[in-house]
Amino acid sequence: MNGRPCSKVACGREATATLTYDYADSMAVLGPLSYSSEPHCYDLCDRHADRMSVPQGWQVIRHEVMRGELL
């Protein structure tokens, strides 16, 4: 375990992704787990990252890692 749990309440799973919001642009960005914990970001496990939803009218940007490279 990387020592960082999922940010969702009562979830004890290991975090694998980091979620950030850009309120001015109505955008959520989900990417690989950041190197360090950031106060305005949310670390999510695979389950919660897959089920993430945003308010109507917002866009979601998903950065995925394939074969060790960021796409």
Side-chain angles (χ1 to χ4, degrees):
M1 184 168 183
N2 60 29
R4 290 165 51 192
C6 180
S7 295
K8 290 289 191 173
V9 175
C11 181
R13 293 181 187 89
E14 181 177 355
T16 58
T18 298
L19 172 66
T20 58
Y21 292 106
D22 182 341
Y23 293 95
D25 290 330
S26 301
M27 180 185 321
V29 180
L30 183 68
L33 187 64
S34 62
Y35 291 111
S36 61
S37 182
E38 299 291 333
H40 301 291
C41 298
Y42 300 90
D43 294 332
L44 301 176
C45 65
D46 285 333
R47 181 179 182 187
H48 287 116
D50 289 341
R51 295 180 177 188
M52 183 200 69
S53 63
V54 296
Q56 186 174 1
W58 281 50
Q59 65 178 347
V60 177
I61 307 294
R62 291 180 183 263
H63 295 281
E64 297 181 12
V65 174
M66 301 188 97
R67 297 186 208 156
E69 296 181 20
L70 186 62
L71 296 180

